Every structure is written in C-alpha cells, then in structure tokens.
Amino acid sequence: MESDQAGDGRGITRRSALASAAGLGTVAIAGCTQSGGSNDEEKSINIAGSSTVFPLMSAIAEDYESENPEVNISISSTGSGGGFSNFFCVGETDFNNASRPIQPEEEELCAENGVEYIELIAATDALTVVINNDNDFATEMTVEELAQVWESDAAETWSDVNSEWPDEEINRFGAADTSGTYDYFVETVLGDRGHTDDYSATEQDNTIASGVEGDEFAIGYFGFAYWYQNQEQVSRVAIDNGDGPVLPSLDTAASGDYQPLSRSLYTYPAMSSLAEEHVADFARFFVDQTDNEQIVAEEVGYVPATPDVKQAQTEKLEAAIEDAQG
Amino acid sequence: MAVETDTETEFGEVSRLRGAIFEYVSLGASVVGLLALAALLIYVFVDAFGLATASPAWLLTYFLTLVVPYIGFCLYSVGDRAFTRKVALALGGGLVVTAVGFTAIETLVGTIPRLTWQLAYLFLVATPTVASVTFVASREPVGTVGFGLIGRLIGGAALGCAVAVMFIVIDRPLWFLVYTLGVLPAVGVAAYGRRTDFEWTAVAAGVIGLVGFVVATVLRPVVGIYPSDGLIYLWTLGIPLAVGAAGIVWLREASRKRVAAVGGSTLLAAAAGILLGSSALPNGSGVIVTGATVAAIGVYLTEAVDADAGRQGLLLPVLLAVGALAGAAVVQLVGITTPEMWLTPEYVTSAPSNTAAEAGLYPAIVGSIIIIGIVAVLSFVLGVGAAVFLEEYAAGTGLVGRITRLFQINIANLAAVPSVVYGLLGLGLFANLLGFGFGTAVTIALTLSLLILPITVISAQEALRSVPDELRQGSYAMGATRWQTIKNVVLPEAMPGMLTGTILALGRAIGETAPLIMVGAATTVFSAPSGIWSRFSAMPMQIYAWANFPQEEFRYGVVAAGVVTLLIVLLAMNGTAIIIRNRMEREH
C-alpha cells in the first residue's frame, strides 16, 4: 500500500501508472485477506446441572448470545446432582444449576478438587401437585394428607387418606430420585418418612402430566412451569399448611403464601471462572435478568426475583468477582 | 379318522390349512411393524410441516401443480396405457375409498386427532402411488435420465453442504498451507509418476506430502496474512473440483469444447459461490456447494445429452420448479392460508431458542454431521482392520486360534452391551484419563466409534467370509502374495458387504443419546463449534431436551421437525453409502 505515494503530481508517467496499478492491486488483494493470527483463546462458557433450571438458563443465555456472539455458551441438562458430581466439582464447567442447595457430599467433592464457588438464587419455583381434571374430591390437600399419599409406607387407596374420598387405588407419578425436585419434595413434605417406591418415576414432566391426564385417580408433582404452560391438561391442588388451602401461582409463590412447596432455584458459578472477564460479564447479565418478568415468568414460568433478593445477589456477585479477579 | 380312510381310497391329500395360516401369520407379523412405524411417521410429518392446520385448498393447489405433473411425467416415461389406467384408477378410487372410509370411521368410532381425510389420502394413497410410479418409471430411459439429473442436483448440493460443514471445524489458513505445500505437490508427483511409470513415485509423493504438512504446520503461526476464506475454498476445493469434473468428461472422450464447458462452468459457479452469503454456513463456503452441484450436473449432462433415448427426462427439474412456483403463485394470488410449518429453512439455519417460533437446530445439525463424519472414518478403518486380521491373518488352530476364538466371542457379546456403558467408558477413558475433554467432538466420536465397532467388525467378517475360497486359491496359484491377494482380490470383493455393515452401524450411532449424555455433550449450544476440541451438541440431545419443554409447540412442532431433520440427514448419509456400494458391486 505504500507504493501509492510513488507518483505524486507529475502527470501520468509510466512509472506512476505502474505504481498506482500495483497499489490498487495490493488494496484489492488486501481486501481479500484475513489476518492469520492463530485462533484466539476461545471465549466459552460451559454450564451444566438441573433440568428444572435449564429452560431459564437457556433463555437468558440466548439473549446474552445475541448481544455477545463472540462468546460460546453451552448448556447441558444433567440434573442437579449429576452436574455437581460429574462436571462442576471436577472443574469442567463454569456454572452448575441446581433446584436445591448444594449437598454436603458435593461440597466435599468440590473442596477435594479445589473448586470454589458462590451460590446465586436464579428464581423461585412453586412445586405443583396435580390431579386429573375429573377429580373433584382432592382439590385441596393438607401437607399431612400429601405425606400420607407419598410416604414410603404409602396409602393404598384415596379413602385410606381421607375417609370422605372414594375407595379407589391411588396411581402416583413423580420425579425420579436423581432430580432435585425429588430431593426437595422429600425434604419439605416427607422428611424422615421417606418417599414411596410404588410410583412411576421419570425426569420428563410431560410423562407425569399425561399419566395424570389419563387416570381419574392419579396424582403427580412437578415444577410450576409445566402446569403454567399446560393449564388445561391437569388440575393443580391447593395445599393447606395450617393456614387454609393456597393454590400454587406466581403471586402466592412470590409472596411466600404458598408453603411449604415454594423453593429457590440456584446457579453456582465457580470462582476460578469468575476470574475471566467474559464469565463475570455473563454472571452479571444473569443476575440482572432474574427479575425480568417477560423471560422468567412469561416464557419460562418461574417467579422472578424480588428487588431485595436481586440487590443481595448483585452485591454477593460483585464481591465474588472482585475477590476472584483480585 | 375319516380323513385317513379317505386317503387310502383316493389320492393323498394334505390339508393346506396349516400352510395358509402360517403364511398369513407371517404376513401379519410384517404388516404390524410396518403399520405402527407408518402411523408414527405420518404423525411426525404432519406435525413437522404443520399439515394439521393446512387448508384443503392449499393441499389441492400443490397436489395439482406438483404431484399430478410429476405422476404425469412418470407415466409418460413408462408409456404404457394399461399402467396409466391402473394409476388413474388407484388415485381416483383411492379418493373415494379414503373419503368414505375416513368419514365412516369418524362417525362410528370417533374423531381421529390431527388427521383429515385429505391428509389420509395424501399419505395412504398419493404417497404409495408416487413411490410406485417412480419405481416403474426409473426403469425406463426418460425416467432414468430425469431422476438421474434430480439425483445429481440434490446429491451435489448435499455433498457440498456436508463438506462445507466439515470445514467449519478446520483451521482454514492451515488447510490452505497444507494443500498448497503438501497435497498439491504430492498429487503432482503421483500424476507424473503415472505417466512415466516411474516406480517410486508413490513413496516420493507420500514423503513430499508429509514434508509439506510439517512445513505448513511450522509456517502457520509465522505467516501473518492469508487469503480470505472464500479464496481459500476456491483455490483448494473449487479449482480441483473443476479440474476433476473436466477430467472425467475428458476420459469419456468428449469433445474439447465440452471438457472446457464443464470445467469452466464449475469454476464459474464456485467463484460465484464466494458472493453467496448465507446466514448459516460460514462466509465463502458457498463455493463448495455451488461448485459441487454444477460439477455433478455438468458431468451428468455431457453423458445424458448423447444418450439415444430419454433426453426428455432432462426437463423434470424444470417441470418441478415451474410446478412449485405456480403453486406458490396461486396460493399467493388466491390468498389461501398456508400451514404453519415448523421445518423451514430458518429452522435448519438458526440457533436454538426458548420461543418455539424462533427455535432452530443449526448448531446441533453441524455437530451431528461432524461427529458422524469422524465416526464413519474411525469405525470403518478400525472395523475393517480388525476383521481382516481376524479372518485373513489370525491362525485358526493352536493357541493363537483359541485366543482368536476368545476374541471373537467377546466381540459378539460387546455388540449387546448397553450404550450407557460405552458412555461411561468414554467418560472414564477419553474425557478423564486421556484428557480429550468433556463433550468434545473427539471424545464423542471415539465413544460412538467404540459403540458401533462390534457391529462393523462382525459385518465386515461376514463379508470377508462370503468371498469364495476359490478366488483366494486362484490368486495364490498365480503367484500372488498374501498381501497382494487381500488387496486385489479379497477386499474389492468384500467391500460392498463391509460398507453395508458400516452404514447400518452409523445409522445407530447418529441417533444415540445416552452415551452423549454420559460424556458431557452439551444439550444446547448457540453457535456452530469452532473446532473439534470445543463443546459439541448433537441432534438427539437437543430433541430430547425440547421433548421435555412445557410448551406444547415444542413437544409437537419443534420436536417433530427435529426428528424429520434427523431422518433426512440419516437418509442422505445412507443414500451416499448405498450409491457407493452399488457402484462397487457393478464394477465386479
């Protein structure tokens, strides 16, 4: 390109014509070239974990990607526990989603491998108990009745639970024991009484829904999002925790009236990953979106974070990022 | 008893009842499976193309502008009045039967969800009719030429797309150097050796290629500026393609004009491909798609134009294109509502999304194609290698023979090991121990290759066993060595069978989900992978995740579209392999 300057202002001589031709050629070729530096370190973010948090995380990641196409985000739906033990605590992923807090064994595993992390609240979910649309007797249940249906020594028939209910066998559809939903249900409703084995266990919410849909005397439970998007298919049960029956909804879960089944969903960023600017940036974006009504409530069907929660999460994250980037 | 006394007086008569029952039971057995699969596929297609929402007018328009002219073309090609009458009867009679039968079922039994009698007619009458006329017409000259051209058109484009996808994960500048410094000189030397019959050129070409490769790897970080991707594609793929196409035509002893025309038009199309921007394939890779398409068509045209009969077949693509345009025009002008299709061009070229209308499968398609490409090479090399050793080299007796037999039993049993177990193997061995990374193309491809290895080994062994021993003995009798016999007699003879086995196994590999989950393949990625070491997703992973989404549009429309895409990729892959196999079979 330097040859451009060769023929300055002396009419068109042969030399200047040649030079400008060469200059044009160089420019033309330069237009068809690329810088050959070896591929820069790829900006990737790897996320694994809970299938419950998966839709929320992928919705937020999708928005982030459209604004930052140079960052490559991959998300795996592995279940909370599978994500921690197979990927996160061995240092393979940057984030792990969980539908329950990290458990002691997982904390130990992470510590063994020197993986440090912080806990961020992603959203609130209302675990929803569903029955068949034709079921008109069990539309309200106390926590004790729910426990009798699902405990390890579970009731055989509906009348065993409540004498006013029909003498029909209960058909149960629930989460598989690898899922955080199962853990949460056991922890809040069943406690030491254990979860029954006599039920159809699955990770797929639509299997539970179609099971309940096809059987008048069936009962099932899953995250609120599925019911929210398929309100015609099955009916939700109002849960009575001593203060009268409360239906699960975005409002009752946000206000805390829907007890004890409203739960927090989490994501755990690794400290070593937050040290990288693009991961920190994504984490900030994520926390910033947790109160986005459109994404969290409308698209995915969870309860957005309250201003207080979001504020607390932001401060926690900023402190962690500062700490990590030192 | 009475029967027995009868047989003594008259000629023996055996009851045919048992035979007849057996025949019908076996017929029933085959029909049950086929019907179940057909029902499933019909629903998947109805969902993927949103046909449940298609108005009868829309169906009728395209039936008249596309299907009817196509059937007409096939009938013209066959040129048999009796056959034409039969087809017309099938189409017309089928219309009445489905309409009446469907309405009867609906009134008597109950409504059939998401199906109308028009759709039933489309799938139960029109589709089989089209298939059968296509089959009959493909044996006549006009049909052969027409389908041949369409095949080249689709095949060339599909092959081009597949190569373009493969190049997504290849470092283009490095490939440019390797090609220029290694491949090109090596090919040149080999070609020169062919002409002069110089013995050692094969070795020399190998050495030159290797040296070129090493030099290229050294130069890659040193050189700072490279041609743009489009120019690299043109130089390394477009030009060789044009030369190759011209070469094939030249070998057929066509006129110099035609050689130049085919080579020139291929080059021109490839160059034009640079400008062809697309939202999906990376910049410049249009070169391969347009180049391969035009090369395939060009080579075929020079052959078909000279054929004695069937030249009219060349009009088939025009007929279909005009039909499609006319249909679209009528739909537009009359204002017929078009169905809400899920499987659209945007679907296969855009990233996954949380809103069903914008959801796409592009990164997963790219992931699956690259993975399956690596698996195909790995499993074929490993499978054929193992089978040749076991069948041709390993001794059948003594201690070695016993060990071989032990091997054999193990391989046969490995074929029945659940795929999750292979996933665990991949996780432990490739991802953790060897450090190939979680969910990278390398880990996934190695795991899947091991998964299908038993099938490829066993089928390759069967193919080798079916080569008659007389051929081997004949070769030895001519003084050939064992290596020469295997290379020149046994392998060419067994190749079609070995390919069939590999195709079937690959079909299994592309649909596997469980081992991918185990080795940490991503469920969702938003952009195509940048190298074989980045985290991959694959079609089954994404489809599985969508099937669990709460929104109904995902579980029906988007998932169905994904399934159909997977089927199309699978068919394209199998089709290629079947064509290669048939070519080889014909050569013998």
Side-chain angles (χ1 to χ4, degrees):
Chain A
M1 272 180 268
E2 301 86 314
S3 49
D4 264 338
Q5 295 144 355
D8 42 353
R10 250 174 278 155
I12 302 171
T13 64
R14 192 184 205 185
R15 189 199 266 179
S16 69
L18 267 178
S20 45
L24 273 178
T26 319
V27 170
I29 290 177
C32 294
T33 54
Q34 52 180 323
S35 68
S38 296
N39 280 354
D40 304 327
E41 185 70 15
E42 200 190 357
K43 281 187 182 174
S44 63
I45 301 175
N46 293 332
I47 304 168
S50 164
S51 55
T52 313
V53 189
F54 175 80
L56 177 65
M57 188 53 110
S58 63
I60 295 180
E62 181 192 340
D63 285 354
Y64 186 77
E65 277 264 340
S66 60
E67 288 172 25
N68 305 276
E70 76 283 358
V71 179
N72 214 337
I73 302 178
S74 72
I75 311 173
S76 301
S77 163
T78 59
S80 309
F84 275 122
S85 53
N86 289 337
F87 302 112
F88 187 72
C89 291
V90 291
E92 279 300 325
T93 45
D94 304 313
F95 287 80
N96 195 65
N97 303 326
S99 51
R100 46 137 178 94
I102 186 167
Q103 291 182 344
E105 312 87 81
E106 292 158 357
E107 283 177 343
E108 268 169 41
L109 183 62
C110 279
E112 265 172 43
N113 293 309
V115 173
E116 292 176 53
Y117 51 83
I118 58 167
E119 180 183 278
L120 296 176
I121 294 175
T124 305
D125 179 26
L127 216 144
T128 304
V129 178
V130 292
I131 50 174
N132 189 280
N133 284 337
D134 295 334
N135 182 331
D136 52 7
F137 50 88
T139 50
E140 293 169 2
M141 292 175 87
T142 63
V143 177
E144 173 55 28
E145 283 168 344
L146 201 57
Q148 283 179 25
V149 171
W150 288 98
E151 68 188 339
S152 59
D153 184 23
E156 290 277 319
T157 62
W158 287 96
S159 57
D160 290 348
V161 180
N162 186 330
S163 53
E164 291 168 21
W165 292 349
D167 186 19
E168 296 280 351
E169 201 172 322
I170 308 175
N171 292 309
R172 287 168 278 251
F173 297 85
D177 59 4
T178 48
S179 88
T181 309
Y182 174 93
D183 293 342
Y184 188 80
F185 192 75
V186 170
E187 190 190 312
T188 52
V189 177
L190 302 171
D192 298 336
R193 298 156 82 174
H195 196 290
T196 176
D197 294 331
D198 180 21
Y199 76 116
S200 310
T202 171
E203 284 270 10
Q204 299 270 13
D205 288 348
N206 64 35
T207 317
I208 297 175
S210 21
V212 174
E213 189 187 13
D215 184 340
E216 196 187 331
F217 299 102
I219 187 168
Y221 64 88
F222 44 53
F224 181 72
Y226 191 90
W227 181 83
Y228 187 65
Q229 303 281 0
N230 299 273
Q231 307 193 2
E232 308 296 315
Q233 202 179 358
V234 285
S235 301
R236 60 194 160 151
V237 175
I239 303 296
D240 184 351
N241 194 30
D243 303 322
V246 180
L247 279 173
S249 71
L250 293 179
D251 291 338
T252 54
S255 64
D257 290 339
Y258 183 65
Q259 289 296 342
L261 287 177
S262 72
R263 57 167 172 175
S264 293
L265 303 174
Y266 305 91
T267 188
Y268 291 79
M271 289 298 276
S272 58
S273 303
L274 287 178
E276 294 173 53
E277 190 47 49
H278 68 278
V279 179
D281 192 47
F282 175 71
R284 285 193 192 104
F285 184 82
F286 182 83
V287 171
D288 189 47
Q289 295 293 318
T290 50
D291 67 345
N292 185 326
E293 290 269 342
Q294 172 62 28
I295 294 184
V296 182
E298 293 301 317
E299 279 184 31
V300 185
Y302 293 136
V303 182
T306 58
D308 292 347
V309 169
K310 184 182 167 186
Q311 182 62 30
Q313 301 303 309
T314 312
E315 280 162 18
K316 193 173 180 183
L317 177 66
E318 288 305 332
I321 290 174
E322 204 168 293
D323 195 18
Q325 297 185 339
Chain B
M1 282 293 140
V3 177
E4 271 182 14
T5 47
D6 275 352
T7 52
E8 273 165 30
T9 50
E10 293 166 28
F11 269 117
E13 208 175 89
V14 183
S15 161
R16 293 198 185 157
L17 185 65
R18 263 180 292 183
I21 291 176
F22 182 75
E23 188 184 337
Y24 285 109
V25 166
S26 51
L27 173 72
S30 43
V31 167
V32 164
L34 282 179
L35 274 187
L37 200 61
L40 174 76
L41 284 182
I42 288 174
Y43 270 109
V44 166
F45 273 87
V46 166
D47 284 345
F49 294 102
L51 292 179
T53 59
S55 62
W58 186 86
L59 288 172
L60 182 69
T61 311
Y62 277 104
F63 185 75
L64 290 181
T65 58
L66 264 182
V67 181
V68 170
Y70 177 80
I71 293 178
F73 169 84
C74 292
L75 292 177
Y76 167 77
S77 163
V78 176
D80 178 356
R81 291 222 161 172
F83 183 67
T84 309
R85 224 170 294 138
K86 244 193 265 172
V87 170
L89 192 69
L91 281 178
L95 189 69
V96 178
V97 170
T98 14
V100 171
F102 199 86
T103 328
I105 292 177
E106 286 222 307
T107 44
L108 293 179
V109 184
T111 51
I112 303 171
R114 303 212 301 292
L115 272 189
T116 56
W117 71 262
Q118 290 96 337
L119 287 178
Y121 176 72
L122 183 69
F123 285 109
L124 298 179
V125 179
T127 310
T129 312
V130 165
S132 73
V133 292
T134 305
F135 176 71
V136 176
S138 70
R139 292 189 293 187
E140 306 295 332
V142 178
T144 314
V145 171
F147 300 143
L149 187 60
I150 294 276
R152 289 337 185 261
L153 200 68
I154 296 172
L159 207 63
C161 285
V163 174
V165 166
M166 291 285 180
F167 266 89
I168 290 177
V169 290
I170 291 177
D171 183 26
R172 268 85 66 175
L174 178 64
W175 160 244
F176 168 71
L177 289 177
V178 168
Y179 176 81
T180 316
L181 300 174
V183 177
L184 202 57
V187 170
V189 168
Y192 177 75
R194 273 250 173 126
R195 286 184 65 158
T196 55
D197 282 331
F198 183 58
E199 225 179 282
W200 288 99
T201 41
V203 179
V207 172
I208 289 172
L210 203 65
V211 170
F213 180 76
V214 172
V215 172
T217 350
V218 174
L219 278 182
R220 171 71 184 87
V222 180
V223 178
I225 202 154
Y226 291 94
S228 68
D229 283 347
L231 287 182
I232 293 180
Y233 286 129
L234 189 62
W235 165 240
T236 59
L237 296 166
I239 293 177
L241 205 59
V243 172
I248 293 175
V249 178
W250 184 68
L251 283 179
R252 290 202 191 123
E253 291 170 1
S255 69
R256 198 169 282 182
K257 229 184 192 172
R258 279 191 185 166
V259 174
V262 170
S265 56
T266 303
L267 195 60
L268 220 68
I274 294 183
L275 305 173
L276 198 88
S278 93
S279 58
L281 289 174
N283 269 343
S285 45
V287 170
I288 317 163
V289 182
T290 52
T293 314
V294 172
I297 297 174
V299 170
Y300 187 69
L301 279 182
T302 53
E303 183 184 25
V305 165
D306 287 340
D308 301 328
R311 248 173 294 172
Q312 301 93 316
L314 295 177
L315 290 175
L316 180 60
V318 182
L319 185 77
L320 292 181
V322 169
L325 285 179
V330 169
V331 166
Q332 194 80 43
L333 287 177
V334 183
I336 299 170
T337 47
T338 51
E340 232 181 273
M341 291 201 190
W342 292 105
L343 186 56
T344 55
E346 291 83 53
Y347 181 80
V348 293
T349 55
S350 58
S353 167
N354 252 54
T355 38
E358 288 165 23
L361 199 58
Y362 175 65
I365 297 174
V366 171
S368 273
I369 291 180
I370 291 168
I371 289 167
I372 225 62
I374 306 176
V375 170
V377 173
L378 277 178
S379 62
F380 187 74
V381 169
L382 291 177
V384 170
V388 167
F389 178 79
L390 287 174
E391 283 301 307
E392 302 292 324
Y393 288 104
T397 53
L399 183 64
V400 182
R402 239 173 283 160
I403 295 174
T404 317
R405 229 168 302 142
L406 193 68
F407 252 76
Q408 199 75 54
I409 293 167
N410 274 314
I411 289 173
N413 281 322
L414 279 179
V417 170
S419 54
V420 178
V421 177
Y422 283 98
L424 284 172
L425 171 75
L427 179 69
L429 184 64
F430 301 125
N432 278 330
L433 195 64
L434 298 177
F436 291 155
F438 286 77
T440 59
V442 180
T443 305
I444 297 174
L446 283 170
T447 308
L448 289 180
S449 302
L450 277 193
L451 169 73
I452 60 168
L453 193 60
I455 314 177
T456 44
V457 172
I458 291 170
S459 59
Q461 276 186 301
E462 287 299 329
L464 287 169
R465 256 175 241 157
S466 69
V467 176
D469 236 6
E470 289 79 7
L471 284 178
R472 290 193 188 86
Q473 302 303 342
S475 174
Y476 289 138
M478 303 281 283
T481 62
R482 191 181 240 181
W483 152 242
Q484 285 168 328
T485 306
I486 290 174
K487 178 178 142 239
N488 297 330
V489 178
V490 179
L491 280 185
E493 194 69 25
M495 196 53 80
M498 297 200 279
L499 278 176
T500 314
T502 312
I503 297 166
L504 290 176
L506 283 180
R508 183 177 169 199
I510 199 174
E512 276 294 346
T513 321
L516 302 195
I517 295 177
M518 296 310 299
V519 299
T523 307
T524 296
V525 288
F526 295 96
S527 48
S530 56
I532 52 172
W533 300 104
S534 59
R535 213 134 173 256
F536 268 58
S537 180
M539 284 189 265
M541 295 289 292
Q542 186 64 63
I543 294 171
Y544 181 70
W546 277 334
N548 198 20
F549 267 41
Q551 295 91 336
E552 193 170 319
E553 297 90 12
F554 271 106
R555 277 179 287 129
Y556 290 101
V558 179
V559 165
V563 171
V564 173
T565 316
L566 185 60
L567 281 177
I568 290 173
V569 172
L570 186 71
L571 282 181
M573 206 171 73
N574 287 359
T576 319
I578 288 168
I579 289 169
I580 296 175
R581 186 190 67 194
N582 290 351
R583 277 273 156 94
M584 286 184 164
E585 266 174 349
R586 229 179 299 153
E587 275 167 19
H588 283 279

